[in-house]
Structures are given as C-alpha cells and as structure tokens.
Amino acid sequence: MSGEMGRKFLYALAGLAYALRTQPNMRFHLLAALAVLAAAFILGVDRYELLFLFLAITLVLLAEMFNTALETVVDLASPGFHPLAKAAKDVAAGAVLLAALHAVATGVVVFYPHLRLILQTFR
C-alpha cells in the first residue's frame, strides 16, 4: 500500500508542478501568498489570523488548480469553440475571482488593525 500511496503523492506533486509551470496566474497567486505570509510574520499576526490567511491562500490556490484542470479537460473534449465550453471556462475563472476577492477581504480584515497601529506611531 505504501508504494501505491507514494506514487499517488508523486502524481499530486506532478499536478502541482504542472500548474506552476504552465499557469502564470498560479505563479502570481503563489508569489502573492508568499508576500502575504511574509507580511504576516513581520506584522506579528496571531495564530488565528494566520489560520484565516492560510485558509484564504489555500482557497485561491485550489480554485486556480481546479480551473486549470477544468480548462485542460474542456480543451481536450472541445478543441474548437463551443458556447458550453466557453461557459464552463468562464464559470471556473469566476470561481478563481471569487476566491481571490475573498482572500483580499481576509487580508484587509487581518492586516488593517496591524497597519493602523504602525501608522499611528508615526503621528
């Protein structure tokens, strides 16, 4: 069983690597996530705030990967233009947008109090 689990883990890593290698938005989201986490550590967010940030980051990365998977399957099944293929891709892209907006809102809620305190010290 462990050999099978090891292979499945490698397949999952290959999927992650494929998304990072082929999808500019995935790379952008990952870099943004790293910047957010760096800011969180610099600003000293507490562990609960950090959990909310991790959740938002994970949601965006998952949405981006599902979007990539769906777009790949749609391209395979419908190489030419089809309105339903377009609708599927648009809905998947909309899911990524929704996850990204959630992440921005989470960032504002988490970081605003910390940044406000820093700005008040300069007054």
Side-chain angles (χ1 to χ4, degrees):
M1 186 70 164
S2 65
E4 180 182 342
M5 287 178 60
R7 279 193 312 277
K8 289 181 179 182
F9 182 74
L10 290 177
Y11 295 149
L13 286 178
L16 183 58
Y18 175 84
L20 286 168
R21 187 175 62 252
T22 64
Q23 303 301 308
N25 287 342
M26 182 68 173
R27 291 190 298 273
F28 172 80
H29 290 304
L30 184 60
L31 289 174
L34 294 173
V36 164
L37 292 175
F41 287 112
I42 290 167
L43 294 174
V45 303
D46 69 35
R47 64 182 176 172
Y48 297 109
E49 292 170 322
L50 191 59
L51 283 173
F52 280 110
L53 292 173
F54 274 125
L55 180 61
I57 288 166
T58 302
L59 183 63
V60 171
L61 296 178
L62 283 171
E64 190 64 53
M65 290 186 73
F66 282 128
N67 182 49
T68 299
L70 186 132
E71 285 185 351
T72 303
V73 170
V74 167
D75 288 346
L76 178 64
S78 181
F81 177 81
H82 191 283
L84 291 176
K86 180 186 182 319
K89 288 182 171 189
D90 290 350
V91 169
V96 175
L97 177 61
L98 190 60
L101 292 173
H102 171 267
V104 168
T106 300
V108 168
V109 169
V110 168
F111 287 123
Y112 177 76
H114 297 278
L115 293 172
R116 187 184 62 198
L117 286 174
I118 291 171
L119 292 174
Q120 285 176 348
T121 62
F122 291 112
R123 288 183 180 183

